[in-house]
Amino acid sequence: MSTLLAGGPAAAGLAFSLPQQLTVVGLCALAAFVSHLALAVFNDGVRPFMLDFVQGRTTRGATTAVSFGLSAGFIFGLGAPMALSSGVLNPWLVFLPTDILGILAPRKWLAPLLGGAWGAVVVFGLKGANEAAHELPVDFLTAMQQMSTPILFLFALFPVLAITRQFGRLRGALAGVLELALVVLTMKLWPKVFAGALAMAAGVLLLIGFAVVRDLRARRADGRETAREPVRAGGAEKEGGAGAVDPVASLFGASAARLRRFLPLFMALGAGVCVLAQLHIFGGGEATSFLIAKGQYAEAAQVDFYRAFGFLPLIATTALASGAYGIAGFTFVYPIGYLLPSPWLAAVCGALVFAVEVLALSAIGKVLGRLPSVRDSSERLRGAIGETLQLAIVFGSLMAANVMGGGPGILIVGGLYLLNEAMGRVVVRMAAGPAAVVVGGVVLNVLYWLDLFTPVTT
């Protein structure tokens, strides 16, 4: 079975083997079932709304509407175009629809059926759409591969942005110079290695180092201040009294206990996600998808490993506050899966990683509470990732427009992007560029059939 599961879809045009098809369908069914139980969702924006749903203060229909509203743009504007252009599945295409379908399903037995049906649409429908698009006079899917270069190289700068925002211009400039030097050095000495890999490693380590040093200094300063305070008469009475109950801690404890009760289900979910990553038909992010498509699995693992640190505090705190975990957990199962040699080993490791994450959730929340600078660094990383990818995707979309249609292509794609901005971002900004390329490609093909446009020749 390991031989049957091996390989990726990029070269085969999204043609999946039977074991790969069964893995996607089964994982989508399980993910929808878990979201139906309100135990986990992939969309970080939906997770805070799950507490009201769990406690019965809102309806299933209302929660479904929230999930659809926050996810639809990413599914159709980012997930589908990225999968078609890279030949690799991604979490926006696989997991966001299962969030919606799982919450929508009124019965437990219906949720896995709907999720499995979506998995079947993904593995069977994408191939047909891919083949049909490549037969068009204006092949916008091949043109969309132009997005890979700006995404991969600009993404490497996210630690520099985070350091500058949190620790000032000087440290940010030093980090930028260091990353540039490492990129040039990597391209010169190791041309087959992704040039941004070493640079990202250095940037993230610098950011974490700066944050830990700041927190340690703050704790030492607090300790000295505490030592100077006079002892209060009758002993230092804590605010609220000895028997006071912290409502936040109580909520967090209840949420963590609820998730632990379903530990076997989470272990099965972790096993499935890790196996999907091990098959090399799935990438956890925009940059990762193109790296997986190129067969650079070690570099993809490194990118998603660093990315996980940006989202860990968000996932941990929202999970403790709402009682709903992440479908991919802290996403550490992605890089682990990329690097493992066997799907069976991936299943075991994925289950163990999820078990550790769920059992350690309360402790992680407490640690994050004592390290404010590290927590802030994570938020800065997450924001920097979004900023770099937004620029990279817009720039890459215009490059794709130029390849498929020259000046008219840039006019249509750039115009659609600007129109979306003027209309209040009907499509979320991250997905607006790829969506504009797809719509622009359709428009250029219609103009060709009307004999009003001649495709660009390369």
Side-chain angles (χ1 to χ4, degrees), residues 27-37 98-99 101-103 111-112 114-116:
L27 181 58
C28 286
L30 179 59
F33 181 67
V34 170
S35 67
H36 172 84
L37 299 177
T98 59
D99 283 358
L101 295 171
I103 299 171
L114 292 176

Side-chain angles (χ1 to χ4, degrees), residues 1-7 23 270-280 297 333 335-351:
M1 183 175 178
S2 299
T3 303
L4 287 172
L5 288 172
T23 299
V273 176
C274 198
V275 168
L276 183 65
Q278 193 280 332
L279 300 182
H280 301 148
Y297 307 133
V333 287
I336 292 172
Y338 302 150
L339 297 176
L340 291 176
S342 161
W344 305 111
L345 183 59
V348 173
C349 290

Side-chain angles (χ1 to χ4, degrees), residues 7 9 59 64 103 119-120 129 131 140 156 165 190 306 328 354 362 374 377 381 388 394 412 436 458:
T59 64
T64 302
I103 299 171
E131 292 175 350
F140 56 87
R165 293 260 165 77
W190 306 287
Y306 300 142
F354 258 51
S362 291
V374 173
S377 293
L381 274 179
T388 53
V394 171
I412 295 171
T458 56

Side-chain angles (χ1 to χ4, degrees), residues 153-166:
F153 278 86
L154 287 176
F155 184 76
L157 289 175
F158 74 87
V160 177
L161 269 66
I163 290 172
T164 305
R165 293 260 165 77
Q166 187 174 5

Side-chain angles (χ1 to χ4, degrees), residues 333-407:
V333 287
Y334 293 165
I336 292 172
Y338 302 150
L339 297 176
L340 291 176
S342 161
W344 305 111
L345 183 59
V348 173
C349 290
L352 291 176
V353 168
F354 258 51
V356 171
E357 289 181 2
V358 172
L359 293 174
L361 198 56
S362 291
I364 292 171
K366 292 176 182 177
V367 170
L368 291 173
R370 293 196 294 266
L371 297 172
S373 293
V374 173
R375 192 170 63 248
D376 187 35
S377 293
S378 178
E379 294 174 2
R380 302 285 187 179
L381 274 179
R382 193 167 63 251
I385 287 172
E387 288 183 56
T388 53
L389 287 175
Q390 282 176 10
L391 176 60
I393 289 173
V394 171
F395 186 60
S397 298
L398 292 176
M399 290 174 63
N402 183 59
V403 167
M404 72 181 184

Side-chain angles (χ1 to χ4, degrees), residues 246-288:
D246 184 351
V248 174
S250 178
L251 174 62
F252 281 16
S255 296
R258 176 177 183 265
L259 296 177
R260 287 196 296 269
R261 288 199 300 271
F262 293 90
L263 186 61
L265 192 58
F266 281 113
M267 292 178 69
L269 185 62
V273 176
C274 198
V275 168
L276 183 65
Q278 193 280 332
L279 300 182
H280 301 148
I281 60 172
F282 174 91
E286 301 88 343
T288 317

Side-chain angles (χ1 to χ4, degrees), residues 421-440:
E421 290 286 311
M423 295 173 63
R425 295 176 194 156
V426 178
V427 179
V428 291
R429 181 178 282 172
M430 189 79 77
V437 174
V438 174
V439 175

